[in-house]
């Protein structure tokens, strides 16, 4: 999925969001910074080398569909890839996927923002999304290529550590005391986030 159609956000800056993704027919080029035609409006928090592609699991989308009593087709989470048969919460930072001819690497969980709640028209969604914890996974592009609907996701490498997307999400949100547990996987996080996370880990170590 890519997102050329922008969600209007009256009274906010920026006043548009690229969260609304639409399925794309045929094969799509994957560049170093994401899918051809995709748009990230607020580059301060979205996109870049460590958030080039966003994946969300069909199994997690099904949970939300049952929870909210509504259909959540592909793209409703702002995702580029709707996966099936993968435990994204259990994916390891640094895990590498071959999708089509592209090689992707798991980098971080997605932290929910107010734009997702506005997109769904669910005022308490950020709180509920955080409590549930199925964040999906951001990926960087290690090798450019092409992907298309129905492509297999082949896990071609897994690092030695045990730092999962689920652990990282909790350390970033409701269980910040767990930040030091991210140390073995710090180098796999988006580059722009590494200094801040390293500083927070060091601060907790100093405090004991």
């Amino acid at each position: 999925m890519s997102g050329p159609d922008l969600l209007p956000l009256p009274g906010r800056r920026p006043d548009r969001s690229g969260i609304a993704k639409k399925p794309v027919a045929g094969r799509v080029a994957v560049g170093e910074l994401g899918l051809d035609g995709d748009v990230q409006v607020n580059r301060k928090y979205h996109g870049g080398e460590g958030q080039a592609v966003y994946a969300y699991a069909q199994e997690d989308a099904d949970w939300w569909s049952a929870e909210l009593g509504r259909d959540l087709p592909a793209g409703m989470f702002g995702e580029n890839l709707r996966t099936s048969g993968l435990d994204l919460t259990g994916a390891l930072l640094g895990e590498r996927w071959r999708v089509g001819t592209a090689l992707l690497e798991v980098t971080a969980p997605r932290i929910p923002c107010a734009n997702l709640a506005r997109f769904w028209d669910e005022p308490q969604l950020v709180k509920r999304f955080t409590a549930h914890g199925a964040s999906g996974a951001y990926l960087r592009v290690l090798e450019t290529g092409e992907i298309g609907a129905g492509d297999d996701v082949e896990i071609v490498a897994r690092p030695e550590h045990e730092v999962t997307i689920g652990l990282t999400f909790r350390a970033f949100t409701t269980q910040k005391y767990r930040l030091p547990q991210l140390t073995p996987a710090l180098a796999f996080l988006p580059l722009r986030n590494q200094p801040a996370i390293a500083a927070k880990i060091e601060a907790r170590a100093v405090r004991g």
Side-chain angles (χ1 to χ4, degrees), residues 4-188:
D5 297 326
L6 300 180
L7 178 71
L9 299 173
R12 293 183 61 82
R13 291 290 182 271
D15 59 2
R16 298 179 299 169
S17 169
I19 194 171
K21 310 299 184 188
K22 304 294 184 183
V24 176
R27 305 198 65 74
V28 179
V30 182
E32 293 181 355
L33 296 180
L35 274 62
D36 185 36
D38 196 15
V39 174
Q40 296 93 24
V41 175
N42 190 344
R43 296 294 182 89
K44 181 178 179 180
Y45 298 108
H46 303 292
E49 63 81 36
Q51 297 181 356
V53 179
Y54 176 50
Y56 203 78
Q58 182 63 52
E59 293 82 359
D60 294 325
D62 289 342
W63 187 93
W64 278 110
S65 291
E67 178 76 6
L68 299 176
R70 58 185 288 184
D71 187 31
L72 294 171
M76 282 296 293
F77 292 82
E79 77 275 27
N80 305 113
L81 303 178
R82 177 70 67 88
T83 66
S84 180
L86 289 177
D87 175 13
L88 297 191
T89 303
L92 298 174
L93 300 196
E95 185 173 298
R96 294 184 176 186
W97 301 354
R98 177 68 68 182
V99 187
T101 58
L103 182 65
L104 310 176
E105 182 176 76
V106 176
T107 62
R110 184 260 194 84
I111 307 303
C113 66
N115 287 348
L116 182 63
R118 293 186 184 92
F119 185 36
W120 287 18
D121 193 24
E122 294 281 351
Q124 298 300 313
L125 185 61
V126 171
K127 182 177 180 180
R128 295 172 71 176
F129 192 98
T130 302
H132 182 53
S135 69
Y138 280 121
L139 306 114
R140 65 168 49 91
V141 178
L142 297 180
E143 294 178 9
T144 61
E146 291 184 342
I147 62 174
D151 281 351
D152 289 335
V153 178
E154 179 187 2
I155 300 174
V156 298
R158 287 172 64 88
E160 295 294 327
H161 64 73
E162 297 181 354
V163 181
T164 65
I165 284 289
L167 167 59
T168 308
F169 182 76
R170 288 299 168 210
F172 283 175
T173 57
T174 60
Q175 299 174 1
K176 294 183 179 181
Y177 65 90
R178 302 182 73 178
L179 279 167
Q181 297 179 42
L182 306 186
T183 301
L186 185 62
F188 295 116

